[in-house]
Amino acid sequence: MLTTRFVEDAVRRALTEDAPWGDVTAELVIPAAARLETRLVARERGVFAGGPIVREAFRQTDPRIEVHALTEEGARFGAGDVLAEIAGPARSILTAERVALNFSQRLSGIATLTARFVSAVSGSGARIADTRKTTPGLRVFEKHAVRAGGGTNHRFSLSDAVMVKDNHLAALGAVDDETTTAALRTLRQRVGHTTAIIVEVDRLDQVEAVASANVTGILLDNFELADLKAAVQLVDGRAVCEASGGVDLSTVRDIAATGVDVISVGQLTHGARALDLGLDAVEGHE
């Protein structure tokens, strides 16, 4: 998903935003011939993501910059660990620094938070998934970071899967259990066999009508724990059971214990804080 084109385009836009007419400070303060050796250093522990973007930020700024020992995506690190070594023309490194840090800090923060959620449900069989609550224009990178942290991706866009909510059902004329099942079965016939159909419900008494319609998954929205467990038993393997709403690190383990297959967590992308990473010059080098 994180293709070369996506990386190149995002970095190009970010560099243009940050230095639209060049880096006046570097050009006035730093001698043109000056070289610099730096290290990308973690100020706190976490899970790394964003390496391809770090590399591309320096490459686009100046192909003479060398990036070595770049930490692998999804690798865990501790405070003080060196995540990459960067050397080359000083002006260029200083110009690219903020873009490289902005991406790596943001994405490593998402990967780190995701890893905490994944760890919290370890052994339960439940998967942690993201949502479409992403930063506009950066979805591909944020969903990549979720995978780096051990999570899974929900649909990438509105084009990827059918997700039917209450207003969709109303538009289909579904007013009771019988018409709901019939409407969803008709939808199944209209949709290609490779396209997933997920139906959102917010009450336990809606579950059977949906489960009977040969759908791919049922999203159990803001269910109490007892109702989640009852819904899983009622579905009995006929569809993927996904829990959503009210999910945080204090509740996710109990939600997983109800037997749901997937727990979608908007907080992974819209609530993660940027991790504290820094670019430090190697002492004694000019």
Side-chain angles (χ1 to χ4, degrees):
M1 186 184 295
L2 195 61
T3 65
T4 299
R5 181 176 64 84
F6 278 127
V7 173
E8 289 178 347
D9 288 349
V11 168
R12 186 175 298 111
R13 286 185 281 108
L15 289 171
T16 300
E17 176 184 63
D18 203 36
W21 302 286
D23 181 350
V24 294
T25 305
E27 291 167 8
L28 290 173
V29 174
I30 308 298
R35 288 184 59 81
L36 187 64
E37 287 187 7
T38 62
R39 292 172 177 165
L40 179 62
V41 179
R43 312 284 194 233
E44 58 182 316
R45 66 180 182 178
V47 176
F48 188 67
I53 310 166
V54 169
R55 189 181 295 279
E56 182 64 16
F58 289 110
R59 187 197 70 81
Q60 282 194 26
T61 302
D62 191 333
R64 295 174 295 172
I65 298 174
E66 299 177 350
V67 179
H68 299 291
L70 184 61
T71 299
E72 293 184 0
E73 302 295 278
R76 295 177 181 269
F77 56 81
D81 285 357
V82 175
L83 306 178
E85 298 174 352
I86 301 102
R91 284 184 179 180
S92 301
I93 288 176
L94 293 171
T95 298
E97 173 183 7
R98 179 43 53 193
V99 168
L101 284 174
N102 281 350
F103 275 110
S104 58
Q105 288 177 314
R106 169 69 179 156
L107 300 187
S108 293
I110 292 172
T112 300
L113 181 60
T114 301
R116 294 180 66 191
F117 273 93
V118 171
S119 177
V121 302
S122 177
S124 69
R127 289 171 288 162
I128 297 295
D130 54 26
T131 70
R132 286 171 38 248
K133 296 176 181 177
T134 55
T135 306
L138 296 181
R139 179 171 295 169
V140 66
F141 302 100
E142 294 180 347
K143 283 182 171 284
H144 165 81
V146 167
R147 294 199 310 276
T152 59
N153 294 149
H154 212 286
R155 59 177 179 166
F156 184 80
S157 71
L158 293 172
S159 304
D160 292 341
V162 176
M163 181 174 285
V164 182
K165 300 188 177 184
D166 52 358
N167 286 337
H168 296 110
L169 287 171
L172 287 170
V175 296
D176 54 28
D177 287 359
E178 184 176 349
T179 54
T180 294
T181 302
L184 291 173
R185 284 178 174 167
T186 299
L187 177 62
R188 176 78 277 175
Q189 293 172 355
R190 294 175 56 197
V191 172
H193 69 282
T194 62
T195 302
I197 298 177
I198 303 166
V199 183
E200 179 183 274
V201 299
D202 53 22
R203 301 191 319 273
L204 185 60
D205 61 12
Q206 298 173 302
V207 171
E208 180 55 38
V210 174
S212 300
N214 192 30
V215 298
T216 311
I218 302 176
L219 194 157
L220 307 163
D221 187 42
N222 283 298
F223 272 45
E224 297 293 334
L225 292 175
D227 285 347
L228 276 177
K229 187 173 182 178
V232 170
Q233 293 174 343
L234 188 61
V235 173
D236 193 26
R238 289 177 288 174
V240 173
C241 289
E242 174 186 347
S244 179
V247 183
D248 58 35
L249 284 168
S250 68
T251 62
V252 70
R253 183 71 191 183
D254 288 339
I255 292 172
T258 65
V260 294
D261 303 295
V262 179
I263 304 173
S264 52
V265 189
Q267 184 185 148
L268 298 182
T269 49
H270 75 68
R273 67 171 181 83
L275 223 59
D276 191 2
L277 310 178
L279 199 66
D280 296 342
V282 176
E283 292 186 12
H285 185 86
E286 297 182 359

